[in-house]
Amino acid sequence: MIGSGAAIFGCAGVTLTAAERDFFRDYDPLGFIIFARNVETPEQLTRLTASLRDSVGRDAPILVDQEGGRVQRLRPPYWSEWAAPLDTVEKAGVNAARAMALRAQVIAVELRAVGIDANCAPVADIGGPDTHPFLRNRCYGQDAETVTHIARAVADAHLAMGVLPVVKHMPGHGRSINDTHHDLPTVTTDRATLSTTDFAPFRALSDLPMAMTAHIIFSAYDSLPATQSPAMIKAIREEIGFAGLLMTDDLNMQALEGSLGQRTARSMAAGCDIALHCKGDLAEMLEVAAAAAAMTEAARSRATAALAQRRPAPSVDIAALKAEFSALMGENTDG
């Protein structure tokens, strides 16, 4: 019961249209992704996530980007507001991993309450002085050890609360000086350095169920962006050791060239398991679906293993989690 189509799609609005419902029924994508345009109230969002699952007749995974800071689709007054991750990490100091785990628990509880069971987090990219502002304060630190420690805490917190983490952006986005929503960055760092820095957190997190690629060229490996590079997907599988379900970053990002059909076909041919299309435009979804086609047997196996890690959401005292988080942050307001 994992579906057949090798894609994850968004939808246009706060309710499903009949045309969307028919398309999802016929193509049967692996799952769906929610954006701010789809969100009004908890009641409305719960109805929408139920409708998405009803359209394919199964408990399909429903994803969201709920990192905190700029990348946060669910916001007040109904959902908690969070600072950018790096701001929280720096303010929390030695308590950073615990603080980030607590906020990840709260985020996960709030997501499960409205039918969302996968979050595109943790961000395991290493921030640096030249990291583009679109990414820098979304990172958890500026060295591999710090990022690995905090990202593991965030991933484990999600899993404990019944939400699948999607680690991003493999094999590492931190050296990008461009915003991949608009431009294609090229990283010229040598393989040995990449292995001990950018790749290291992802290697340490290679047991996680799902991951998202980076639309970045690593010239030491290929002249193609990682999402569309057989050499880079091989490195993700063999050098990093990631055996989970690998999805593209959003195919509408302008770091990629060509039509959506071409972008999708190149990504799938390179070895990505799942095409991610977020815009909710039905004509575009039809194009992506045609190019993505059905999941390969390997992708189906990885999807089955990933979804098997979903667990029932436990009963937790969300007020107590928030209180502990606030206390941790308060202890470090001067440090």
Side-chain angles (χ1 to χ4, degrees):
M1 295 291 288
I2 62 163
S4 58
I8 292 171
F9 288 121
C11 60
V14 296
T15 59
L16 278 191
T17 66
E20 287 172 334
R21 190 177 298 108
D22 290 346
F23 165 66
F24 293 148
R25 179 198 64 219
D26 293 342
Y27 178 65
D28 197 19
L30 173 68
F32 306 96
I33 189 164
I34 295 294
F35 272 73
R37 66 175 182 270
N38 307 126
V39 178
E40 287 183 340
T41 67
E43 294 76 19
Q44 166 271 323
L45 185 53
T46 302
R47 288 193 297 270
L48 177 60
T49 56
S51 295
L52 288 166
R53 290 189 170 103
D54 286 346
S55 72
V56 291
R58 57 186 163 81
D59 187 19
I62 297 181
L63 290 69
V64 74
D65 290 287
Q66 190 78 349
E67 298 173 12
R70 276 184 302 109
V71 181
Q72 182 173 336
R73 314 307 184 196
L74 281 61
R75 293 190 177 274
Y78 302 110
W79 296 279
S80 302
E81 183 77 18
W82 302 101
L86 188 59
D87 294 347
T88 295
V89 167
E90 291 178 343
K91 186 176 181 182
V94 296
N95 296 318
R98 179 58 181 165
M100 288 294 290
L102 285 165
R103 72 181 237 168
Q105 286 182 282
V106 174
I107 287 169
V109 169
E110 292 184 343
L111 296 183
R112 279 301 299 260
V114 291
I116 297 171
D117 59 4
N119 190 14
C120 297
V123 174
D125 307 311
I126 300 172
D130 297 324
T131 304
H132 192 280
F134 102 92
L135 179 66
R136 191 176 187 280
N137 69 357
R138 298 164 58 194
C139 298
Y140 300 165
Q142 300 183 60
D143 63 86
E145 184 178 3
T146 299
V147 170
T148 299
H149 180 53
I150 298 173
R152 172 61 70 182
V154 169
D156 287 350
H158 278 88
L159 285 166
M161 295 296 108
V163 172
L164 294 176
V166 182
V167 62
K168 59 190 184 186
H169 307 81
M170 277 196 183
H173 213 307
R175 293 183 190 272
S176 172
I177 61 172
N178 304 99
D179 181 349
T180 49
H181 293 86
H182 306 291
D183 301 292
L184 174 61
T186 297
V187 171
T188 59
T189 307
D190 64 88
R191 291 191 182 202
T193 303
L194 288 169
S195 181
T196 57
T197 55
D198 303 56
F199 294 4
F202 294 100
R203 188 180 300 114
L205 300 165
S206 61
D207 60 306
L208 292 181
M210 303 168 77
M212 182 183 292
T213 62
H215 297 333
I216 298 177
I217 293 172
F218 292 86
S219 63
Y221 287 83
D222 203 345
S223 60
L224 297 170
T227 301
Q228 300 178 337
S229 165
M232 285 312 311
I233 302 302
K234 182 179 180 182
I236 287 170
R237 294 300 189 192
E238 297 181 3
E239 292 182 43
I240 290 174
F242 179 67
L245 187 72
L246 186 65
M247 69 183 68
T248 71
D249 203 343
D250 186 9
L251 291 170
N252 262 314
M253 294 166 69
Q254 296 310 303
L256 303 181
E257 295 182 342
S259 68
L260 275 168
Q262 291 169 330
R263 296 178 188 191
T264 305
R266 291 165 187 160
S267 302
M268 308 311 285
C272 291
D273 294 318
I274 300 294
L276 176 64
H277 180 271
C278 300
K279 190 176 177 180
D281 180 291
L282 184 55
E284 291 186 1
M285 289 193 282
L286 288 164
E287 186 176 358
V288 170
M295 277 184 275
T296 64
E297 284 306 310
R300 289 184 62 82
S301 177
R302 288 190 277 261
T304 300
L307 297 188
Q309 294 195 43
R310 291 188 296 187
R311 64 188 71 173
S315 177
V316 296
D317 185 342
I318 198 167
L321 295 176
K322 289 184 173 183
E324 184 184 348
F325 175 81
S326 297
L328 282 180
M329 301 306 289
E331 290 170 0
N332 290 272
T333 52
D334 299 323

